[in-house]
Amino acid sequence: MSDMLAAPALMAAQYKSGYKPIWCPGCGDYSVLASVAKALAQLQRPPHEVAVVSGIGCSSRIPAYTSCYGFHGVHGRSLAAATGLKVARPDLTVLVASGDGDGYSIGGNHFLHACRRNVDLTYIVMDNHVYGMTKGQASPTTEPDWDNKLSPGGTGIRSFHPLVIALASGANFVARAFPGDPNGTADIIA
């Protein structure tokens, strides 16, 4: 009898909004969005119990493409906003979507302190080693010898290593995924 009263399982499609993503063809952000939806379906958290927070950049469009609560904040401040939300509403599952520029440059200080505080957030950084929206500006994770029109001969600056910094700052779970493996990425996010 109790099986008849159980709610039907939530599917990944139920976590996607009606908005069509507008990323560049072949962008890994499409796969990350699909992985987020799959992870939420694995967790079986209803969309109204999930909040997705972001800052600025291509990756930060993710809240609009989900059916969850969303907050699109200012550049580099997504972790600060998400931390406040999670502390005020610990019952919510809070995901934070960011890019390497947004998360490790202007948001770098917030990154360090979010790792140190270990508030129950899931921080997903789409790190392509470049500011994608500015079409080629080096980001903190860009290799020092990466040569392009905006950085002829490279930046000459050592790359920022976010996983090392996260561990040194006290983060309790750190992982790296690849958008070419959406199922593996979904498992890591879940």
Side-chain angles (χ1 to χ4, degrees):
M1 181 85 173
S2 64
D3 290 341
M4 293 172 43
L5 300 176
L10 294 165
M11 305 302 287
Q14 292 173 275
Y15 294 97
K16 293 183 181 179
S17 74
Y19 293 107
K20 182 180 179 193
I22 55 170
W23 294 305
C24 296
C27 178
D29 291 1
Y30 287 102
S31 180
V32 174
L33 175 61
S35 296
V36 166
K38 287 178 183 182
L40 293 172
Q42 285 180 30
L43 297 174
Q44 288 294 292
R45 292 297 307 264
H48 70 274
E49 294 179 4
V50 179
V52 184
V53 180
S54 69
I56 299 298
C58 296
S59 59
S60 295
R61 295 176 176 154
I62 283 186
Y65 303 143
T66 72
S67 61
C68 307
Y69 287 113
F71 180 80
H72 189 154
V74 296
H75 198 201
R77 305 304 186 258
S78 57
L79 281 170
T83 299
L85 174 61
K86 185 63 179 185
V87 170
R89 290 286 310 273
D91 57 304
L92 292 177
T93 295
V94 180
L95 304 177
V96 187
S98 188
D100 46 313
D102 184 46
Y104 304 140
S105 183
I106 196 165
N109 193 41
H110 296 294
F111 172 66
L112 294 172
H113 293 291
C115 292
R116 187 173 67 84
R117 288 184 183 106
N118 267 315
V119 175
D120 186 20
L121 303 171
T122 299
Y123 190 37
I124 304 165
V125 181
M126 277 113 333
D127 182 1
N128 60 358
H129 299 240
V130 66
Y131 284 88
M133 291 185 86
T134 59
K135 308 298 183 224
Q137 180 183 354
S139 84
T141 58
T142 303
E143 293 76 9
D145 59 349
W146 186 64
D147 187 37
N148 73 358
K149 291 178 187 176
L150 296 176
S151 303
T155 64
I157 302 169
R158 283 180 297 170
S159 301
F160 183 77
H161 296 283
L163 300 181
V164 173
I165 299 299
L167 290 171
S169 299
N172 62 357
F173 179 81
V174 177
R176 178 173 259 169
F178 172 60
D181 177 17
N183 291 328
T185 300
D187 290 342
I188 288 171
I189 292 169

